[in-house]
Amino acid sequence: MSEAHPPVTPPATLNPDPEPEAPQPPAPGDCCHSGCTFCVEDMYQGELDRYRVALKAWQERQSATQQTAGVARPETPAAG
């Protein structure tokens, strides 16, 4: 006896350039305050710095994409 499987739904249109996601800050008790070489607070700051750079680059790409797509094209005045 074979089991019936639900139909496979194709994924929604994937965004080829999704907005970067901000890193999650460490929970209050995650840092042990022992001076660890790889402190969670330091690692978070590094991730946050990389996120900010990635977000700025993404925003610039979005702005350029909107401009090239003609979102705000001025009209050409009629000759007269």
PDB file of all heavy atoms in Angstrom, residues 26-42:
ATOM      1  N   PRO A  26      23.723  38.948  21.761  1.00  0.00           N
ATOM      2  CA  PRO A  26      23.799  37.878  22.748  1.00  0.00           C
ATOM      3  C   PRO A  26      22.828  38.149  23.906  1.00  0.00           C
ATOM      4  O   PRO A  26      22.526  39.308  24.208  1.00  0.00           O
ATOM      5  CB  PRO A  26      25.247  37.910  23.229  1.00  0.00           C
ATOM      6  CG  PRO A  26      25.853  39.155  22.706  1.00  0.00           C
ATOM      7  CD  PRO A  26      24.955  39.693  21.642  1.00  0.00           C
ATOM      8  N   ALA A  27      22.363  37.096  24.501  1.00  0.00           N
ATOM      9  CA  ALA A  27      21.475  37.224  25.658  1.00  0.00           C
ATOM     10  C   ALA A  27      22.287  37.773  26.836  1.00  0.00           C
ATOM     11  O   ALA A  27      23.510  37.634  26.873  1.00  0.00           O
ATOM     12  CB  ALA A  27      20.873  35.865  25.991  1.00  0.00           C
ATOM     13  N   PRO A  28      21.616  38.393  27.799  1.00  0.00           N
ATOM     14  CA  PRO A  28      22.335  38.999  28.922  1.00  0.00           C
ATOM     15  C   PRO A  28      23.307  38.058  29.635  1.00  0.00           C
ATOM     16  O   PRO A  28      24.365  38.491  30.072  1.00  0.00           O
ATOM     17  CB  PRO A  28      21.212  39.436  29.861  1.00  0.00           C
ATOM     18  CG  PRO A  28      20.044  39.674  28.965  1.00  0.00           C
ATOM     19  CD  PRO A  28      20.184  38.651  27.867  1.00  0.00           C
ATOM     20  N   GLY A  29      23.020  36.800  29.726  1.00  0.00           N
ATOM     21  CA  GLY A  29      23.888  35.878  30.447  1.00  0.00           C
ATOM     22  C   GLY A  29      24.906  35.158  29.583  1.00  0.00           C
ATOM     23  O   GLY A  29      25.640  34.297  30.078  1.00  0.00           O
ATOM     24  N   ASP A  30      24.975  35.487  28.281  1.00  0.00           N
ATOM     25  CA  ASP A  30      25.885  34.765  27.385  1.00  0.00           C
ATOM     26  C   ASP A  30      27.358  35.076  27.647  1.00  0.00           C
ATOM     27  O   ASP A  30      28.213  34.247  27.425  1.00  0.00           O
ATOM     28  CB  ASP A  30      25.557  35.069  25.926  1.00  0.00           C
ATOM     29  CG  ASP A  30      24.300  34.362  25.460  1.00  0.00           C
ATOM     30  OD1 ASP A  30      23.776  33.503  26.191  1.00  0.00           O
ATOM     31  OD2 ASP A  30      23.833  34.688  24.354  1.00  0.00           O
ATOM     32  N   CYS A  31      27.664  36.290  28.088  1.00  0.00           N
ATOM     33  CA  CYS A  31      29.066  36.666  28.354  1.00  0.00           C
ATOM     34  C   CYS A  31      29.395  36.297  29.801  1.00  0.00           C
ATOM     35  O   CYS A  31      28.678  36.650  30.733  1.00  0.00           O
ATOM     36  CB  CYS A  31      29.276  38.155  28.129  1.00  0.00           C
ATOM     37  SG  CYS A  31      30.964  38.702  28.488  1.00  0.00           S
ATOM     38  N   CYS A  32      30.523  35.608  29.970  1.00  0.00           N
ATOM     39  CA  CYS A  32      30.916  35.173  31.315  1.00  0.00           C
ATOM     40  C   CYS A  32      31.848  36.179  32.003  1.00  0.00           C
ATOM     41  O   CYS A  32      32.209  35.991  33.158  1.00  0.00           O
ATOM     42  CB  CYS A  32      31.582  33.803  31.253  1.00  0.00           C
ATOM     43  SG  CYS A  32      33.149  33.790  30.347  1.00  0.00           S
ATOM     44  N   HIS A  33      32.248  37.224  31.271  1.00  0.00           N
ATOM     45  CA  HIS A  33      33.112  38.280  31.804  1.00  0.00           C
ATOM     46  C   HIS A  33      34.437  37.733  32.315  1.00  0.00           C
ATOM     47  O   HIS A  33      34.985  38.220  33.295  1.00  0.00           O
ATOM     48  CB  HIS A  33      32.389  39.079  32.900  1.00  0.00           C
ATOM     49  CG  HIS A  33      31.103  39.672  32.429  1.00  0.00           C
ATOM     50  ND1 HIS A  33      31.055  40.772  31.611  1.00  0.00           N
ATOM     51  CD2 HIS A  33      29.811  39.298  32.640  1.00  0.00           C
ATOM     52  CE1 HIS A  33      29.792  41.071  31.344  1.00  0.00           C
ATOM     53  NE2 HIS A  33      29.014  40.185  31.960  1.00  0.00           N
ATOM     54  N   SER A  34      34.965  36.717  31.627  1.00  0.00           N
ATOM     55  CA  SER A  34      36.243  36.114  32.008  1.00  0.00           C
ATOM     56  C   SER A  34      37.369  36.513  31.070  1.00  0.00           C
ATOM     57  O   SER A  34      38.469  35.993  31.186  1.00  0.00           O
ATOM     58  CB  SER A  34      36.117  34.579  32.014  1.00  0.00           C
ATOM     59  OG  SER A  34      35.164  34.169  32.959  1.00  0.00           O
ATOM     60  N   GLY A  35      37.103  37.386  30.121  1.00  0.00           N
ATOM     61  CA  GLY A  35      38.134  37.799  29.176  1.00  0.00           C
ATOM     62  C   GLY A  35      38.442  36.739  28.136  1.00  0.00           C
ATOM     63  O   GLY A  35      39.587  36.599  27.702  1.00  0.00           O
ATOM     64  N   CYS A  36      37.448  36.012  27.703  1.00  0.00           N
ATOM     65  CA  CYS A  36      37.631  34.959  26.705  1.00  0.00           C
ATOM     66  C   CYS A  36      38.227  35.538  25.421  1.00  0.00           C
ATOM     67  O   CYS A  36      37.938  36.673  25.049  1.00  0.00           O
ATOM     68  CB  CYS A  36      36.295  34.308  26.360  1.00  0.00           C
ATOM     69  SG  CYS A  36      35.482  33.512  27.757  1.00  0.00           S
ATOM     70  N   THR A  37      39.036  34.741  24.749  1.00  0.00           N
ATOM     71  CA  THR A  37      39.624  35.159  23.477  1.00  0.00           C
ATOM     72  C   THR A  37      38.530  35.437  22.452  1.00  0.00           C
ATOM     73  O   THR A  37      38.614  36.400  21.698  1.00  0.00           O
ATOM     74  CB  THR A  37      40.575  34.064  22.949  1.00  0.00           C
ATOM     75  OG1 THR A  37      41.571  33.831  23.931  1.00  0.00           O
ATOM     76  CG2 THR A  37      41.207  34.481  21.651  1.00  0.00           C
ATOM     77  N   PHE A  38      37.511  34.610  22.424  1.00  0.00           N
ATOM     78  CA  PHE A  38      36.398  34.771  21.486  1.00  0.00           C
ATOM     79  C   PHE A  38      35.134  35.105  22.281  1.00  0.00           C
ATOM     80  O   PHE A  38      34.214  34.311  22.370  1.00  0.00           O
ATOM     81  CB  PHE A  38      36.192  33.504  20.653  1.00  0.00           C
ATOM     82  CG  PHE A  38      37.375  33.148  19.814  1.00  0.00           C
ATOM     83  CD1 PHE A  38      38.215  32.115  20.161  1.00  0.00           C
ATOM     84  CD2 PHE A  38      37.665  33.884  18.676  1.00  0.00           C
ATOM     85  CE1 PHE A  38      39.319  31.803  19.382  1.00  0.00           C
ATOM     86  CE2 PHE A  38      38.768  33.582  17.892  1.00  0.00           C
ATOM     87  CZ  PHE A  38      39.595  32.534  18.250  1.00  0.00           C
ATOM     88  N   CYS A  39      35.108  36.305  22.839  1.00  0.00           N
ATOM     89  CA  CYS A  39      33.965  36.738  23.644  1.00  0.00           C
ATOM     90  C   CYS A  39      32.740  36.919  22.745  1.00  0.00           C
ATOM     91  O   CYS A  39      32.845  37.451  21.635  1.00  0.00           O
ATOM     92  CB  CYS A  39      34.291  38.061  24.334  1.00  0.00           C
ATOM     93  SG  CYS A  39      32.900  38.736  25.283  1.00  0.00           S
ATOM     94  N   VAL A  40      31.589  36.506  23.238  1.00  0.00           N
ATOM     95  CA  VAL A  40      30.365  36.634  22.451  1.00  0.00           C
ATOM     96  C   VAL A  40      30.050  38.091  22.148  1.00  0.00           C
ATOM     97  O   VAL A  40      29.495  38.401  21.094  1.00  0.00           O
ATOM     98  CB  VAL A  40      29.160  35.954  23.139  1.00  0.00           C
ATOM     99  CG1 VAL A  40      29.350  34.452  23.228  1.00  0.00           C
ATOM    100  CG2 VAL A  40      28.884  36.539  24.504  1.00  0.00           C
ATOM    101  N   GLU A  41      30.408  38.989  23.049  1.00  0.00           N
ATOM    102  CA  GLU A  41      30.164  40.422  22.816  1.00  0.00           C
ATOM    103  C   GLU A  41      31.024  40.921  21.658  1.00  0.00           C
ATOM    104  O   GLU A  41      30.555  41.673  20.810  1.00  0.00           O
ATOM    105  CB  GLU A  41      30.464  41.232  24.085  1.00  0.00           C
ATOM    106  CG  GLU A  41      29.557  40.910  25.257  1.00  0.00           C
ATOM    107  CD  GLU A  41      28.130  41.385  25.079  1.00  0.00           C
ATOM    108  OE1 GLU A  41      27.892  42.287  24.241  1.00  0.00           O
ATOM    109  OE2 GLU A  41      27.243  40.867  25.774  1.00  0.00           O
ATOM    110  N   ASP A  42      32.299  40.520  21.620  1.00  0.00           N
ATOM    111  CA  ASP A  42      33.195  40.930  20.534  1.00  0.00           C
ATOM    112  C   ASP A  42      32.742  40.330  19.202  1.00  0.00           C
ATOM    113  O   ASP A  42      32.771  40.997  18.168  1.00  0.00           O
ATOM    114  CB  ASP A  42      34.640  40.501  20.823  1.00  0.00           C
ATOM    115  CG  ASP A  42      35.220  41.222  22.031  1.00  0.00           C
ATOM    116  OD1 ASP A  42      34.755  42.331  22.353  1.00  0.00           O
ATOM    117  OD2 ASP A  42      36.139  40.661  22.659  1.00  0.00           O
TER     118      ASP A  42
END
